Amino acid sequence: MAPGEPFVEPTPVGSTRALAERTTDLLNALADRTTDATTITTILTRHGEIDPELDEEDVAALREVAVELRHVLAADTLEGTATRLNTLLAREARPPRLADHGGSHPWHLHADSDDEAPWDEWFAASTGLFLASLVSQRQRLPGGVCAARDCERVFVDTAHGSGRRYCSRRCATRTRVAAHRRARGRTS
């Protein structure tokens, strides 16, 4: 931390907020076809993975999983979300196990085959388990695709109030301002 910079409490690895941030960062990065292994490695490192090693084949496999996870978040109903998650988990998840990665992380759940599982298996199983947990705890959609015009970013909704519709405050504000201007133009 540089002198004069405010202290920002890090998000604990494995917390709901941390998993939501990791999920949205990866899904939105993988939606961009120009995202490469270096970018995904940087994202994984920023979210607590220690020395992840990925190549372009790993990114291609992650991108396929990301498409399926985006479909989970794009579901219009809780039943649709559950069906898509159950399909993903039936294919990718293994019996849950606790892992601490040789003491480098706090104990946490894994649902992939082992600590050396391919990145796409890890991403599908861990994210599927996380989203299923959100659904079971909150009994509502776990996230969605941004409702702002011309925005295709996804988000995971960790708020306890009413459900989110936008990926960011910026998109929500932009949409409200545009609606206000349209309404004001009709009344002038």
Side-chain angles (χ1 to χ4, degrees):
M1 182 166 70
E5 277 187 34
F7 175 75
V8 176
E9 184 72 32
T11 303
V13 173
S15 70
T16 298
R17 188 169 131 216
L19 293 172
E21 289 171 0
R22 181 192 76 193
T23 298
T24 55
D25 286 352
L26 284 170
L27 290 176
N28 289 321
L30 290 163
D32 179 350
R33 301 303 267 171
T34 64
T35 299
D36 60 8
T38 302
T39 302
I40 298 301
T41 298
T42 300
I43 291 169
L44 289 169
T45 301
R46 188 173 64 232
H47 288 287
E49 294 298 322
I50 298 172
D51 298 324
E53 294 181 26
L54 288 93
D55 58 29
E56 295 308 321
E57 285 182 23
D58 293 322
V59 173
L62 283 167
R63 193 169 274 121
E64 288 179 27
V65 170
V67 167
E68 190 169 4
L69 289 166
R70 288 179 72 87
H71 287 296
V72 168
L73 292 174
D76 293 335
T77 65
L78 202 50
E79 293 77 18
T81 297
T83 298
R84 292 171 185 181
L85 276 172
N86 285 337
T87 299
L88 174 79
L89 289 169
R91 187 185 71 239
E92 298 292 343
R94 306 298 184 272
R97 63 186 169 80
L98 286 167
D100 72 348
H101 305 284
S104 62
H105 285 77
W107 289 102
H108 58 281
L109 277 177
H110 267 262
D112 52 3
S113 57
D114 62 53
D115 285 351
E116 301 303 319
W119 285 105
D120 58 314
E121 179 188 318
W122 163 82
F123 188 42
S126 66
T127 304
L129 184 64
F130 167 60
L131 294 175
S133 177
L134 280 180
V135 168
S136 69
Q137 290 172 16
R138 298 178 179 183
Q139 296 298 305
R140 67 177 196 200
L141 296 173
V145 178
C146 185
R149 186 177 184 171
D150 300 327
C151 184
E152 294 292 321
R153 294 179 59 81
V154 295
F155 60 89
V156 175
D157 187 358
T158 60
H160 292 285
S162 60
R164 279 176 57 183
R165 295 185 51 227
Y166 301 98
C167 69
S168 65
R169 287 184 182 147
R170 181 175 181 238
C171 277
T173 300
R174 188 168 43 93
T175 300
R176 280 194 303 275
V177 167
H180 175 73
R181 287 180 179 158
R182 279 192 306 276
R184 197 173 70 193
R186 283 191 294 259
T187 61
S188 298

